[in-house]
Amino acid sequence: MKEIKKILVTGSVGQIGSELTIALREKYGAENVIATGRKTKPSKELEESGPFHFIDVTSIESVEEIVKQYNIDTVFHMAAILSAVGEGNPQLCWNVNMNGTINILELGLKYDMARLVIPSSIAVWGKGVPLDNTPQETVLKPSTMYGVTKVAGEILCDYYVQRFGLDIRGLRYPGIISSETLPGGGTTDYAVAIYYEAVEKKHYTCFVREDTVLPMMYMPDCIKATLDLAEADFDKLVHHSDFNIAAMSFDVKELADSIKKHIPDFSVEYAPDHRQAIADSWPNSIDDACARQEWGWKPAWDLEAMTEDMLEKLEARNNEGRLYR
Ligand code: SER
């Protein structure tokens, strides 16, 4: 197994990418982690903590330029169009997610890279899947273009592992909740927005029903899972690009109740929209036994601890008049 030395992060301005880049810089050295984005301006922290470039993952030349310039040996490929935005523009979703992924795989081969980390999502599931404790191996019939690209991406990555011996790892992220960068255009975004609006307005209008249950994870666990999988012993991995991982599952009422313990006059109303059908097609909870066995995955955060931490961070920012930065 080769050592991780020079890292490229695509999608570094996104919800996960922004915090992952900072964590990678702390672990591997700031100058060794090259952050990239398509057009959104990076935060001051991201820009000032190490190299940042604008690239377009759908153009292999644009990515290759950075790979050559920095002698990149590892890619964390976080750039993707998420489920809700993808339904508004399925062709764009296919183009960014599929061509972006195959470009990274081809560059991984061409430059004999040490590691590619290419995430997947709960969106791989859909019709016919057991919704409770969804097993690692089960039917993959997504209802969104985002899900289609994630299923195809997993299979494509595993093909590059088997056919070319490339070292590729990926996990199926549940909804990720975080306080630093807002998610962009996913179905699970309500679980982040509810905290911001609880702090700002003490009221939230939710775009899925009160009884909607989805698997979720707090950002510190998401970062830990990503870093741990990246450093796991390749020889011990049976799976590669499609690990189930789980942390917590709750419905919106339970989420709202956890916030009400801190903000008693917080209220929620429900106005389900087109995202309800997407949420209903995804599991309630996930069986992550393979991740636990193969690379020691274990979550640390539950709903109550996450709510306390989220509200503390957002309230501190709100008091300084920069809730949304
Ligand atoms: N958070 C993503 C979405 O809602 C799921 O991976 O699209």
Side-chain angles (χ1 to χ4, degrees), residues 15 82-84 120-123 146 173-176 183 185-189 282:
Q15 185 198 11
L82 298 189
S83 59
S120 184
S121 157
I122 52 169
Y146 174 62
Y173 287 131
I176 304 297
T187 301
T188 57
D189 294 14
W282 291 350

Side-chain angles (χ1 to χ4, degrees), residues 97-118:
N97 297 5
M98 293 315 303
N99 290 325
T101 297
I102 201 158
N103 286 343
I104 298 299
L105 292 170
E106 281 299 307
L107 291 171
L109 262 190
K110 184 168 175 185
Y111 291 90
D112 195 21
M113 289 195 195
R115 203 92 86 251
L116 302 178
V117 178
I118 303 186

Side-chain angles (χ1 to χ4, degrees), residues 36-96:
T36 60
R38 163 113 164 82
K39 54 175 197 266
T40 309
K41 207 174 139 14
S43 67
K44 229 172 151 225
E45 190 188 11
L46 198 60
E47 205 173 10
E48 288 174 2
S49 61
F52 180 90
H53 292 270
F54 285 109
I55 61 167
D56 175 1
V57 295
T58 67
S59 153
I60 195 161
E61 295 79 20
S62 146
V63 187
E64 189 165 14
E65 214 177 290
I66 299 295
V67 168
K68 282 200 288 204
Q69 182 181 339
Y70 288 96
N71 214 3
I72 296 293
D73 57 53
T74 297
V75 182
F76 286 76
H77 180 46
M78 312 308 290
I81 302 286
L82 298 189
S83 59
V85 167
E87 287 316 279
N89 194 342
Q91 289 83 359
L92 175 75
C93 182
W94 175 269
N95 185 27
V96 171

Side-chain angles (χ1 to χ4, degrees), residues 20 53 93 106 125 131 146 159 217 228 230 237 252 285:
L20 179 65
H53 292 270
C93 182
E106 281 299 307
W125 291 303
L131 293 179
Y146 174 62
Y159 171 78
M217 180 179 283
D228 286 357
L237 300 184
V252 190
S285 59

Side-chain angles (χ1 to χ4, degrees), residues 143-181:
S143 62
T144 60
M145 178 57 98
Y146 174 62
V148 169
T149 67
K150 287 297 172 186
V151 172
E154 287 181 356
I155 296 169
L156 189 63
C157 288
D158 279 352
Y159 171 78
Y160 273 70
V161 174
Q162 287 152 26
R163 175 80 168 75
F164 304 111
L166 257 187
D167 181 338
I168 308 169
R169 294 115 193 263
L171 26 75
R172 292 168 172 160
Y173 287 131
I176 304 297
I177 295 167
S178 66
S179 58
E180 299 308 301
T181 307

